[in-house]
Amino acid sequence: MTDHARDLESVREATGRLLAAAAALDNAAVTQPSRLPGWSRGHVLAHLSRNADAFVNVLDGRPMYVSDADRDADIARDAARPLAEHLADLRASTARMERAAVLTTDWTRTVELRNGVTDTAARLPFRRWAEVELHHVDLDTGYELEHLPEEFTEREIGFLAARFAGRADVPATRLTDTTRAWTTGEEAADPAIVVTGARAGLLGWLAGRRAGDGLSVTGGELPALPPL
């Protein structure tokens, strides 16, 4: 069962790590490219702030974003701000999300996210945790997938494997770090393709942050995954 209170604490800790790393930057560094194609570090920070507000919307029963176009415009508008403004905005938006969480009484209800995706309210804190951890890596400040908390890495592998499960455009695949295994792609009792590697490598591939370097594949080629 998802422990939303524990996940909210993990979000606080992860946000603290990200804010500390971002605070060591300067205004020039904010304008430099992040690891996400076409996005500067400022785009990543702006997205994290607006995403926190988007989760407030969901917790309050409103649409996550007015539209994808509005979401993108807000990020583009805020990306070039000075570092101090980014830090203040992220702290304030995080505080708004925390207040919305405190006021939430029914964590079992179904909520709607982007593109018609639904989930239980109790899973929202973990989704936010994923945003903070993966985008901390995207900032390119020295925080790598190998630095992610072990619990997060294991759970996010399972989350992303489930996200691609049952898709006809992803062949049936078994993922393993040799200690445990996950399945994804088309349904099959015994997937022919087996991808083996360290958890950081598996997560990097599933999350679109790495091309699969360091992973070994048997039974076929490393599947091409759809964008998240």
Side-chain angles (χ1 to χ4, degrees), residues 30-115:
V30 170
T31 68
Q32 295 302 306
S34 72
R35 291 183 179 178
L36 292 177
W39 271 20
S40 67
R41 291 189 177 107
H43 283 85
V44 174
L45 292 171
H47 164 62
L48 283 167
S49 294
R50 301 290 68 77
N51 176 257
D53 284 334
F55 277 112
V56 172
N57 290 337
V58 175
L59 287 169
D60 287 349
R62 297 187 297 273
M64 189 170 191
Y65 296 99
V66 174
S67 68
D68 283 347
D70 282 282
R71 169 188 175 272
D72 295 344
D74 287 346
I75 294 169
R77 178 198 65 209
D78 295 341
R81 294 178 302 180
L83 175 63
E85 292 185 25
H86 278 295
L87 298 177
D89 190 13
L90 183 53
R91 292 189 185 101
S93 59
T94 298
R96 288 191 290 271
M97 182 179 170
E98 290 179 349
R99 287 195 295 271
V102 168
L103 295 173
T104 297
T105 56
D106 183 6
W107 288 96
T108 65
R109 75 185 192 275
T110 297
V111 295
E112 184 171 342
L113 300 126
R114 290 180 68 198
N115 303 319

Side-chain angles (χ1 to χ4, degrees), residues 170-175 182-186 188 191-195 205 221 223:
V170 179
T173 304
R174 181 175 184 268
L175 316 171
W182 304 262
T183 57
T184 195
E186 290 184 291
I193 298 176
V194 178
V195 180
W205 171 61
E221 297 182 354

Side-chain angles (χ1 to χ4, degrees), residues 10 13-14 17 129 133 143 145-155:
S10 295
E13 294 171 358
R17 288 191 295 271
W129 188 12
E133 292 286 14
Y143 191 68
L145 293 170
E146 286 77 9
H147 299 143
L148 296 171
E150 183 176 346
E151 177 194 355
F152 169 77
T153 299
E154 181 173 350
R155 288 176 63 187

Side-chain angles (χ1 to χ4, degrees), residues 117-134:
V117 173
T118 59
D119 206 343
T120 60
R123 291 245 289 181
L124 293 179
F126 179 74
R127 285 177 174 271
R128 175 61 181 178
W129 188 12
E131 291 282 340
V132 174
E133 292 286 14
L134 293 176

